Amino acid sequence: MLSQDRYRKIMSVLEDKHSIKVNEMADILSVSVDTIRRDLKYLETKRLLLRTHGGAVLDDLLYENKTIPERKKMMTSSKVNLGKEIVHELNDGDVLFLDGSTTTMLMLPLLKDLKNLTIITNSMFTGIEILEKKLDAKLHILGGKVIQPIGSVVGIEALKSLNLFKIDKAILSCYAVSKEGFYDIDSEEAIFKREVIDSAKQTYFLMDASKLNVKSSMFITEMNDKITLVLEERAFEVNKGKLIVKK
């Protein structure tokens, strides 16, 4: 197989799954792991991916510029299954905050049996999905500065609007998680999520395997006793809060 063909196949798998392993790609392409390592090194020089221990992830900027429909196609079954791990902890009458992550959007059908919810979101796309699912919920979409192309609202106006509500449970995702804490790729979104966590009685972070130990500089928060972390696979233990690993 020519190198250009390998590059295209690597990027196709990476854009579908968000992360890849060297051994996995070697098996898929029937080449040596050394060949894959060289390919990943080359693609990193082109700012198409970031190498990690044993594999690679999408470059921050490439992921940041993906639209919501494109992100929803990435690891869809994993994202839905994560939501199933916590839906039993939600109750009729809850005041929920849902962010603009596709993981949260894909969880919305699981809320159909809950009654008299109040749902607050800083995402136009999440708001539209809630309306389309016809949930039994009062919907509040916060105003403020819109991040393109993902449609999340941040900034002073959004923070002031957020402070009008008493949130029972927040359901979030973000770009990356490690044993040190949670990270995003936009500073204003990281600040906003930090405020949501501080405001909510309980926060759930839903994190698929592509977000494990990925590097990002925008720190949101470390684990605390109000946070439940739901992981697709066990990667580390937590000293505070609660850890759920997908069954």
Side-chain angles (χ1 to χ4, degrees), residues 8-10 13 16 29 34 41 43 56-57 66 84 155 166 175 182 188-189 200 202 236:
R8 281 192 288 270
K9 182 61 177 178
I10 288 169
V13 173
D16 180 54
L29 297 177
D34 288 337
K41 184 176 182 179
L43 292 169
V57 297
K66 283 189 173 294
K84 290 178 180 178
K166 293 183 178 180
Y175 181 72
F182 303 89
E188 289 186 289
E189 182 129 38
Q202 179 70 34
F236 48 80

Side-chain angles (χ1 to χ4, degrees), residues 159 162 172 182 184 186-200 203 205 217-222 224 226:
L159 290 170
L162 178 69
L172 312 174
F182 303 89
D184 226 312
D186 181 272
S187 59
E188 289 186 289
E189 182 129 38
I191 291 168
F192 185 84
K193 286 182 178 177
R194 192 179 306 139
E195 187 68 24
V196 170
I197 294 164
D198 289 343
S199 300
T203 297
F205 267 101
S217 59
M218 304 303 174
F219 183 69
I220 301 172
T221 188
E222 61 185 12
N224 64 50
K226 296 198 305 177

Side-chain angles (χ1 to χ4, degrees), residues 201-220:
K201 296 177 183 176
Q202 179 70 34
T203 297
Y204 301 89
F205 267 101
L206 310 181
M207 308 294 286
D208 63 59
S210 71
K211 299 176 179 182
L212 291 171
N213 298 309
V214 181
K215 293 182 179 179
S216 184
S217 59
M218 304 303 174
F219 183 69
I220 301 172

Side-chain angles (χ1 to χ4, degrees), residues 2 22 36 56 60 105 108 149 154 162 185 205 210 214 220 242:
L2 297 175
V22 170
I36 296 299
D60 283 6
M105 292 183 204
L108 290 175
V154 294
L162 178 69
I185 52 178
F205 267 101
S210 71
V214 181
I220 301 172
K242 180 180 179 182

Side-chain angles (χ1 to χ4, degrees), residues 27-78:
D27 289 341
I28 291 173
L29 297 177
S30 299
V31 297
S32 70
V33 294
D34 288 337
T35 297
I36 296 299
R37 289 193 182 102
R38 288 194 295 270
D39 289 346
L40 297 182
K41 184 176 182 179
Y42 171 79
L43 292 169
E44 186 175 48
T45 67
K46 298 301 181 181
R47 292 299 307 274
L48 294 175
L49 54 77
L50 295 173
R51 286 183 295 162
T52 62
H53 180 69
V57 297
L58 281 179
D59 180 88
D60 283 6
L61 291 176
L62 184 61
Y63 182 76
E64 187 175 12
N65 288 324
K66 283 189 173 294
T67 65
I68 290 297
E70 289 172 328
R71 293 188 188 187
K72 285 177 73 173
K73 294 177 182 178
M74 299 168 68
M75 303 189 76
T76 302
S77 61
S78 298

